[in-house]
């Protein structure tokens, strides 16, 4: 089996440091200055390990250095270099991804590690083989990604040639940081026909009856305890919690409130960890529509060490959003399989004022461990 691999080494840099994305050299430099740690190569290596465990005969065709070679070496898989990017690792951009797609040519399946921006670059290059995304970006709203690195490797190993079209969507990150949310459809890519291991495209909450988010918000506020901190993750439902408190929260950021007041706005992972270590703190997280993710998509501030420090997690979703999942579980993909596994089981989801349901939640790699 011959698999292509392209890694965007700067994908996901902006997540934990509250930059809402990683597009552009200025944002990437700022993220590194704030202490961001690249994770895309590590997640690509995890996908390759899962692949080789099931297909020992695999050969990886890839790109030199951090755009693929480093991940292949870390995973211990046989590989062959097909391309050397002209850019340095710190300045790798869209043109390098497009050139890598062209250089890899015909393979059985092309894996790429990144986020929605990387998916757009792959789409623009017009890949000949089917592709599959290894989730490594901040948002990962497109439908061409596996639910986790392990799922990407397992899907690649079981690929039998059957494909489906998956949508590539992306946000304008400048507008995203300003709170202007709206994904644009850019096209489709052919991906393996493995619905249970694909994340699917993020969908909005337009089907929810008017007032649903406000009803959930009232329930959350009513349950808040004096002297306890609450870290409100991104999402329209958590913004409604802010409105119920009379607070203007950071769109798409993580804000910490206590006793009805804003304790810390738009926190980074480091700041959130410090708060959680110094006082009783609960996480308040909404579900991503259509995908079911609670942790690991757009809220990387909730890192494994932060999750271990929290006193608890409150999950919010409308009944319509849960019904749209069709029985599929809520998902956790923090980057640490052990941290993710701690959530396996059922979680109480607040669906309205005095309304909640028990719903299944699992690690995005649960069935593949």
């Amino acid at each position: 089996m011959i698999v292509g691999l392209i890694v965007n080494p700067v994908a996901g840099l902006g997540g934990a440091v509250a930059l809402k994305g990683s597009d552009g050299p200025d944002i990437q430099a700022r993220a590194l200055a704030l202490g961001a740690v690249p994770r895309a190569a590590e997640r690509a290596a995890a996908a390759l390990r899962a692949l080789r465990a099931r297909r020992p005969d695999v050969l990886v065709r890839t790109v030199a250095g951090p755009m693929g070679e480093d991940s292949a070496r870390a995973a211990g898989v046989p590989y062959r270099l097909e391309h050397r990017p002209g850019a340095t690792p710190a300045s790798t951009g869209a043109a390098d991804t497009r050139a890598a797609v062209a250089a890899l040519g015909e393979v059985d399946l092309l894996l790429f590690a990144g986020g929605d921006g990387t998916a757009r670059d792959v789409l623009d290059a017009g890949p000949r083989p089917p592709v599959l995304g290894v989730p490594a970006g901040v948002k990962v709203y497109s439908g061409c990604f596996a639910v986790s690195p392990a799922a990407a490797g397992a899907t690649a190993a079981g690929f039998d040639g059957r494909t489906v079209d998956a949508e590539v969507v992306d946000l304008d990150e400048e507008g995203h940081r300003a709170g202007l949310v709206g994904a644009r459809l850019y096209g489709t890519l052919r991906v393996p026909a493995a619905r249970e291991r694909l994340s699917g495209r993020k969908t909005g909450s337009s089907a929810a009856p008017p007032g649903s988010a406000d009803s959930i918000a009232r329930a959350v506020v009513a349950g808040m305890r004096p002297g306890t901190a609450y870290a409100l993750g991104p999402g329209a439902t958590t913004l409604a919690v802010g409105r119920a408190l009379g607070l203007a929260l950071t769109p798409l950021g993580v804000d910490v409130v206590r006793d009805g007041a804003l304790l810390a706005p738009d926190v980074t992972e480091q700041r959130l960890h410090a708060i959680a270590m110094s006082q009783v703190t609960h996480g308040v997280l909404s579900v991503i529509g259509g995908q079911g993710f609670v942790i690991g998509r757009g809220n990387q501030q909730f890192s494994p060490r932060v999750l271990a420090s929290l006193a608890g997690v409150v999950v919010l979703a409308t009944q319509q959003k849960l019904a749209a999942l069709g029985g599929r579980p809520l998902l956790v993909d923090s980057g640490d399989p052990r941290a993710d596994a701690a959530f396996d089981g059922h979680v109480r989801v607040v669906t309205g004022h005095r309304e909640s349901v028990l719903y299944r939640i699992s690690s995005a790699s649960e069935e593949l461990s």
Side-chain angles (χ1 to χ4, degrees):
M1 183 179 191
I2 300 177
V3 171
L5 174 68
I6 299 171
V7 177
N8 178 356
V10 295
L13 276 180
V17 291
L19 295 180
K20 290 86 176 170
S22 306
D23 289 353
D26 291 344
I27 290 296
Q28 294 157 14
R30 184 180 171 193
L32 291 170
L34 289 171
V37 178
R39 300 292 187 194
E42 174 186 320
R43 290 174 74 81
L48 292 181
R49 291 188 191 98
L51 167 57
R52 194 183 187 200
R54 294 162 176 78
R55 288 297 300 265
D57 62 329
V58 68
L59 172 67
V60 174
R61 296 174 61 187
T62 190
V63 185
M67 286 194 68
E69 180 184 11
D70 294 350
S71 298
R73 293 180 65 181
V77 300
Y79 68 91
R80 185 171 70 212
L81 293 182
E82 301 289 347
H83 179 65
R84 293 186 178 276
T88 62
S91 61
T92 298
D96 298 289
T97 299
R98 292 193 293 267
V101 172
L104 292 180
E106 293 293 347
V107 292
D108 295 320
L109 181 67
L110 176 61
L111 295 177
F112 68 92
D116 293 320
T118 312
R120 282 180 58 188
D121 297 336
V122 171
L123 174 67
D124 289 343
R128 291 188 294 273
V131 307
L132 180 62
V134 179
V138 176
K139 305 177 296 296
V140 196
Y141 289 166
S142 299
C144 54
F145 290 91
V147 296
S148 69
T155 301
F159 181 48
D160 60 5
R162 292 181 299 124
T163 63
V164 296
D165 288 337
E167 295 176 322
V168 175
V169 300
D170 199 9
L171 303 179
D172 173 358
E173 287 196 357
E174 288 301 319
H176 192 60
R177 293 182 187 98
L180 303 176
V181 187
R184 175 183 170 188
L185 173 63
Y186 284 88
T188 61
L189 288 167
R190 288 188 300 128
V191 300
R195 177 65 188 90
E196 70 282 0
R197 287 176 177 164
L198 297 178
S199 63
R201 175 184 172 180
K202 177 190 180 298
T203 60
S205 305
S206 57
S212 296
D214 293 332
S215 176
I216 293 172
R218 290 197 303 273
V220 173
V221 172
M224 287 182 168
R225 301 171 184 172
T228 298
Y230 293 87
L232 304 175
T237 311
T238 47
L239 284 177
V241 175
R243 290 196 301 271
L245 291 168
L247 303 173
L249 301 184
T250 306
L252 307 167
V254 176
D255 298 296
V256 183
V257 302
R258 184 182 64 196
D259 295 328
L262 189 60
L263 177 65
D266 202 13
V267 295
T268 63
E269 184 274 346
Q270 185 176 21
R271 176 68 173 131
L272 182 55
H273 181 250
I275 292 172
M277 290 294 290
S278 65
Q279 58 191 288
V280 177
T281 306
H282 291 260
V284 181
L285 301 169
S286 61
V287 175
I288 293 184
Q291 295 184 336
F293 279 97
V294 176
I295 294 168
R297 300 294 183 269
N299 57 9
Q300 283 84 1
Q301 295 92 324
F302 290 91
S303 67
R305 68 171 185 168
V306 167
L307 294 172
S309 303
L310 294 176
V313 170
V314 180
V315 179
L316 317 178
T318 63
Q319 294 178 1
Q320 291 75 17
K321 188 176 286 186
L322 293 180
L325 293 175
R328 289 178 287 122
L330 302 179
L331 297 172
V332 178
D333 181 23
S334 71
D336 183 337
R338 291 174 296 181
D340 297 348
F343 284 86
D344 286 349
H346 288 80
V347 64
R348 185 166 295 281
V349 181
V350 179
T351 57
H353 186 53
R354 297 181 180 176
E355 294 180 355
S356 65
V357 298
L358 280 178
Y359 199 93
R360 187 161 65 97
I361 187 170
S362 71
S363 162
S365 303
E366 178 187 41
E367 65 177 282
L368 309 165
S369 58

